[in-house]
Amino acid sequence: MNLSYWEYKTWLSNIDFTIVGSGIVGLNCALHLKKQYPKAKILVLERGQFPQGASTKNAGFACFGSVSEVLSDLKNHPEEEVRQLVLKRWEGIQLLRENLGDKPMEYQNHCGGHEVFLKEQADLYEDCLDNLDRVNTLLRPVFGTDAFLVHPNTFNFNGVQKNYVTNPFEGQINTGKMMKSLLAKVQNSGVTILNAIGVDSYQENIDHVVVKTEQFEFKTNKLFVATNGFASQLIGETVKPARAQVLITKPIENLSIKGTFHLDEGYYYFRNIDNRILLGGGRNLDFKGEETTSFGETSLIQNRLENILQTVILPNTPFEIDLRWSGIMGIGNHKKPIVKQLANNVFCGVRMGGMGIAIGSLVGRELANLLN
Ligand SMILES: Cc1cc2nc3c(=O)[nH]c(=O)nc-3n(C[C@H](O)[C@H](O)[C@H](O)COP(=O)(O)OP(=O)(O)OC[C@H]3O[C@@H](n4cnc5c(N)ncnc54)[C@H](O)[C@@H]3O)c2cc1C
């Protein structure tokens, strides 16, 4: 497609910074660059009509790790590293709240987060209870008090151990509202966002980068790549795509379940929203098949999600499924995101794992700060 003089001149000339990807990381990077360089011309390019990766698809848990996850991390990482991981997530959530405010994204943490253990997971359950003090002591410098408490099964889940492990600091947000207000904040700051523009490749020169999109080419002084699960398509970093499938019920009258819930070592997660249950997970049923950048739902995983709703979460309540969808995460062997300079004028902030709500704001800021 040939662009007009006006299109080039107005949108694509004298670009200081270009960011690829308008997820939570790309938008936070843009916001922070604008704060530091108010006169800079900043462009965000997004392949989807919406941000089309994970940031508008997720479950909206403002979480920092369940007790079983912390214990599993402690098996492979030094204590200090595990504490720093949790601290980073906790600080990231505070930064997100500071940036957007609680109300616009419906942030709330009065229901807490709960890890629920299936009947057949007696060993894991006992192990978590036995190690609760150890984990609480480890994380006391982060939260100032015990982060994990034993709580009875008050929501009448079926086929589960009699107690949950509850984290009163865990919160939930309305993902759609969070992204809408983040997009508005970025646009109001004077950053241009162009949707439906996929970046195919780039070419680094001494003092600029040529960006080649599916439709046109242009020059930018610096390029920031925030494409998470799609990163290996554009840069050589080892980020594996990981599709995550979700469903949501229609509204359920007198739904008493409130909070965020982790089940089966975090392979499943569910929460209340608008009198509905949102439930996701099941990647462990087909890791290989879900290692894809293609959106889509499979009957294997969707059937299991429905089965969990029927047998564990809502055993005595009729429900109907309203919507099913998927999103693409970026994962790797290590839980730390990759935030680094790739070339003189090219930087990346990718591999958020399942924690982008918690760490996305911080990583976006770190990515922008690579310029200093
Ligand atoms: C179903 C699901 C549930 C989740 N639940 C939670 C949760 O409860 N709590 C939590 O903390 N995290 C959760 N996550 C993870 C979280 O959503 C992600 O970690 C986070 O959104 C990643 O943000 P990002 O900006 O790095 O990537 P993304 O949001 O994926 O943004 C990357 C963007 O880059 C764009 N892009 C890619 N390639 C190109 C290209 N070549 N040209 C132009 N644009 C391109 C994509 O379209 C996309 O919009 C969940 C994820 C999923 C999928």
Side-chain angles (χ1 to χ4, degrees):
M1 175 178 61
N2 285 333
L3 295 185
S4 73
Y5 169 74
W6 315 114
E7 287 160 345
Y8 260 117
K9 180 98 182 146
T10 313
W11 282 279
L12 297 169
S13 66
N14 303 318
I15 304 292
D16 294 298
F17 310 130
T18 299
I19 296 135
V20 190
S22 73
I24 187 168
V25 173
L27 293 177
N28 273 285
C29 176
L31 206 55
H32 202 67
L33 284 169
K34 195 68 191 172
K35 239 186 234 164
Q36 287 182 302
Y37 306 92
K39 294 209 175 108
K41 194 162 169 187
I42 304 179
L43 179 63
V44 178
L45 296 179
E46 166 55 50
R47 184 157 53 195
Q49 264 121 18
F50 294 106
Q52 200 173 303
S55 296
T56 52
K57 312 283 191 190
N58 61 58
F61 286 36
C63 58
F64 26 80
S66 64
V67 67
S68 69
E69 185 189 347
V70 173
L71 277 175
S72 153
D73 287 351
L74 280 171
K75 285 186 187 132
N76 312 308
H77 301 82
E79 286 200 343
E80 190 47 36
E81 205 174 304
V82 175
R83 185 180 14 238
Q84 288 305 322
L85 200 66
V86 173
L87 177 66
K88 192 163 183 179
R89 294 167 180 170
W90 176 244
E91 287 177 348
I93 292 166
Q94 306 321 312
L95 182 62
L96 175 70
R97 296 175 65 191
E98 224 172 85
N99 272 346
L100 300 181
D102 289 352
K103 218 167 163 204
M105 59 176 174
E106 293 176 1
Y107 173 87
Q108 45 154 303
N109 69 355
H110 56 264
C111 298
H114 315 271
E115 177 155 17
V116 181
F117 300 87
L118 292 167
K119 268 263 158 41
E120 59 267 27
Q121 290 177 314
D123 288 350
L124 179 72
Y125 175 62
E126 293 303 334
D127 192 38
C128 287
L129 293 189
D130 290 347
N131 282 287
L132 218 51
D133 282 349
R134 177 183 173 210
V135 175
N136 279 332
T137 306
L138 177 75
L139 298 182
R140 201 158 292 132
V142 178
F143 299 102
T145 181
D146 286 353
F148 295 106
L149 313 165
V150 177
H151 193 284
N153 175 5
T154 41
F155 295 120
N156 298 320
F157 299 135
N158 184 45
V160 303
Q161 302 287 340
K162 76 172 201 272
N163 292 315
Y164 322 133
V165 175
T166 288
N167 184 332
F169 295 98
E170 185 166 309
Q172 49 177 284
I173 62 167
N174 180 317
T175 291
K177 290 192 173 172
M178 181 275 284
M179 282 300 286
K180 194 171 177 213
S181 65
L182 183 55
L183 279 162
K185 188 162 179 162
V186 172
Q187 274 159 331
N188 291 341
S189 76
V191 170
T192 301
I193 302 176
L194 294 182
N195 283 83
I197 309 285
V199 174
D200 274 343
S201 62
Y202 64 86
Q203 190 191 319
E204 156 101 351
N205 292 318
I206 291 173
D207 60 348
H208 68 269
V209 181
V210 176
V211 179
K212 299 177 185 187
T213 76
E214 287 152 7
Q215 295 90 343
F216 50 77
E217 285 185 25
F218 68 99
K219 282 186 204 164
T220 182
N221 290 344
K222 308 280 176 194
L223 182 69
F224 297 83
V225 178
T227 55
N228 201 32
F230 307 87
S232 62
Q233 296 170 348
L234 200 57
I235 55 177
E237 293 303 316
T238 41
V239 181
K240 275 194 206 160
R243 184 169 65 191
Q245 301 186 32
V246 181
L247 57 72
I248 193 164
T249 66
K250 289 186 175 168
I252 296 166
E253 234 175 89
N254 304 320
L255 181 70
S256 64
I257 298 168
K258 304 245 182 302
T260 48
F261 299 85
H262 308 256
L263 183 74
D264 198 0
E265 291 185 87
Y267 283 121
Y268 298 92
Y269 40 90
F270 59 97
R271 60 172 287 188
N272 67 302
I273 176 80
D274 302 334
N275 296 318
R276 303 162 184 257
I277 294 290
L278 181 157
L279 166 65
R283 230 162 37 81
N284 54 332
L285 298 178
D286 184 12
F287 279 126
K288 212 62 217 149
E290 297 303 300
E291 194 184 310
T292 172
T293 50
S294 302
F295 293 87
E297 299 82 44
T298 61
S299 49
L300 173 72
I301 290 179
Q302 290 292 324
N303 289 344
R304 177 67 182 136
L305 292 176
E306 264 190 66
N307 173 264
I308 288 177
L309 263 181
Q310 240 151 28
T311 58
V312 179
I313 304 171
L314 296 168
N316 304 312
T317 309
F319 63 84
E320 284 178 81
I321 307 298
D322 195 3
L323 292 168
R324 304 171 196 269
W325 70 89
S326 65
I328 310 296
M329 302 186 289
I331 61 169
N333 295 335
H334 208 284
K335 288 200 169 173
K336 272 194 188 157
I338 303 171
V339 187
K340 71 176 190 190
Q341 183 157 12
L342 297 171
N344 261 351
N345 301 307
V346 185
F347 309 84
C348 78
V350 294
R351 199 171 71 187
M352 272 346 91
M355 283 286 169
I357 289 176
I359 58 172
S361 309
L362 274 182
V363 172
R365 189 170 74 180
E366 269 176 44
L367 176 57
N369 281 340
L370 289 177
L371 208 51
N372 298 332

